[in-house]
Amino acid sequence: MTTSPGSLIGTGYHADFIIGDDDQNAEQVYSKVYRKTVQRWKTETMSSRLVDKMKSVMINIQQRLHCDDTTAFLRKTQESLYKFIVLPGQDSTTVEPADLKRFYSPEGLLCPKRFPLEVLEVMKVQFRNGYSGQVRQDPVAEGGNFFKEEWVNWFTPDQLPEFGRVLLSADTANTDLATSCPVSMQVWGEAKPNYYLLYDETMIMSQLDTETRIQAIGKLYPGIITVIELAASGFGIYASLKNKIAPIFGFPPARFGGKEARADSISPLWQAGNIFLPATQYIKVHYLPEILAFPNGEYVDRVDAMSQALLFFTQVAAS
């Protein structure tokens, strides 16, 4: 019997083997709501359909799509219940169990007849960010997806230049529930042609807390420009603050396309070496990994706030 996540077909039956084969849609996996729906269906609905809870088997087969896809979720919440087998197209430290490396060719290829090295090189170009998940079995490409770690410049406080403009970019959230996405507030300084990240505060907070923090952060940077995302709670935050702080602007994200389109449009600034990040442990451990994982990371809020700031500097208020 064949069924799919969310379908009522088959849920009245029980099975000895329940096999999920890419049961997450690659186009929908970027939706947190969709990911959680599939995860609940997998763990709560289908797991209760085993004939014998001691002997029946659940198998999950998946190309890696996201840092919060089904495989990642099972690793995080039910690792003791599964045996994980990871076979990337090329030999790497991610082969699991490690003794399966014996099946790789001397050149380190899993299937050299179908996927010799020259074919894999072509696939890297064709698949772009999808190559890492489909071939490397890792949703984060080596060095980053849209943004590469090698493109980053690091600075210390004594290396800060004089800024022409300083901007606070606020990426807002839908709600302040624990299941909501975080709010990301970042301060960026412009010293053309370069841009410096001066501050990052990213966490789940209410609309009122967001308004309070925007005002508090703004007081630390005299003359700062405040840019609020006009989406979700951002409409209310902008309406509440527009007569309290100045200058303040509403940023319409849809004008610049979806999240990936916005990130793509400012990635040349990273590649050209125009982006500078503070050389702190916080940025290296919390900020940069989220940027490098985009769009396959569990959260994208820091990327949204960053792309909003850079788009405002370079396109909205270019001068």
Side-chain angles (χ1 to χ4, degrees), residues 207-208 210-212 214-216 218-219 224 226 236-248:
Q207 179 173 326
L208 180 59
T210 303
E211 293 175 14
T212 301
I214 288 174
Q215 294 178 82
K219 291 178 181 179
I224 194 170
T226 301
I237 293 170
Y238 175 74
S240 176
L241 295 179
K242 67 179 181 179
N243 294 320
K244 298 178 182 178
I245 58 177
I248 183 171

Side-chain angles (χ1 to χ4, degrees), residues 234-300:
F235 289 103
I237 293 170
Y238 175 74
S240 176
L241 295 179
K242 67 179 181 179
N243 294 320
K244 298 178 182 178
I245 58 177
I248 183 171
F249 297 90
F251 181 88
R255 170 182 166 186
F256 299 93
K259 296 177 184 291
E260 292 186 26
R262 298 197 298 273
D264 215 20
S265 65
I266 56 93
S267 63
L269 292 173
W270 284 72
Q271 190 169 7
N274 298 131
I275 302 301
F276 289 74
L277 302 182
T280 64
Q281 189 68 7
Y282 170 83
I283 294 299
K284 294 177 180 179
V285 172
H286 298 286
Y287 185 89
L288 187 59
E290 185 173 321
I291 303 297
L292 299 181
F294 181 85
N296 300 331
E298 185 171 359
Y299 297 107
V300 299

Side-chain angles (χ1 to χ4, degrees), residues 21-230:
D21 185 4
D22 281 330
D23 55 13
Q24 283 181 313
N25 185 297
E27 297 302 319
Q28 294 178 274
V29 77
Y30 298 112
S31 164
K32 184 176 181 179
V33 172
Y34 170 76
R35 294 196 304 271
K36 298 306 178 187
T37 297
V38 176
Q39 290 165 7
R40 285 194 299 271
W41 178 83
K42 189 91 170 181
T43 58
E44 298 175 16
T45 301
M46 297 312 294
S47 65
S48 67
R49 301 303 188 264
L50 296 171
V51 171
D52 188 324
K53 301 298 188 289
M54 295 297 294
K55 297 180 181 180
S56 300
V57 178
M58 290 191 71
I59 298 173
N60 183 65
I61 304 168
Q62 181 175 36
Q63 59 168 308
R64 294 306 311 279
L65 298 170
H66 195 276
C67 289
D68 189 38
D69 60 18
T70 300
T71 298
F73 174 76
L74 294 176
R75 280 232 189 232
K76 188 187 305 180
T77 63
Q78 301 182 18
E79 186 167 21
S80 63
L81 302 181
Y82 284 84
K83 176 180 180 179
F84 290 89
I85 299 173
V86 183
L87 296 170
Q90 283 182 277
D91 184 10
S92 70
T93 57
T94 59
V95 175
E96 186 179 355
D99 63 356
L100 294 181
K101 290 186 177 183
R102 69 183 188 275
F103 292 107
Y104 284 73
S105 72
E107 298 77 30
L109 300 174
L110 177 62
C111 189
K113 289 186 177 180
R114 286 193 63 199
F115 300 105
L117 188 58
E118 53 267 34
V119 169
L120 293 182
E121 291 299 323
V122 171
M123 291 170 66
K124 284 182 182 179
V125 177
Q126 292 176 328
F127 291 0
R128 198 183 177 193
N129 299 313
Y131 177 87
S132 187
Q134 291 192 32
V135 179
R136 292 184 62 247
Q137 295 305 302
D138 186 339
V140 181
E142 291 181 293
N145 291 336
F146 268 60
F147 307 98
K148 304 295 183 182
E149 187 170 8
E150 64 187 46
W151 297 345
V152 177
N153 290 302
W154 300 99
F155 72 87
T156 54
D158 60 300
Q159 296 173 317
L160 285 174
E162 183 176 343
F163 296 116
R165 293 182 292 186
V166 177
L167 182 150
L168 168 58
S169 174
D171 174 69
T172 56
N174 289 314
T175 68
D176 58 348
L177 298 176
T179 54
S180 178
C181 291
V183 173
S184 183
M185 293 176 284
Q186 298 174 25
V187 176
W188 286 82
E190 179 187 57
K192 290 184 176 180
N194 300 322
Y195 300 90
Y196 290 72
L197 175 67
L198 304 178
Y199 184 86
D200 168 73
E201 184 174 317
T202 301
M203 64 183 69
I204 294 173
M205 62 181 75
S206 67
Q207 179 173 326
L208 180 59
D209 288 339
T210 303
E211 293 175 14
T212 301
R213 290 304 301 150
I214 288 174
Q215 294 178 82
I217 295 169
K219 291 178 181 179
L220 301 175
Y221 302 89
I224 194 170
I225 302 167
T226 301
V227 180
I228 310 293
E229 177 195 31
L230 293 182

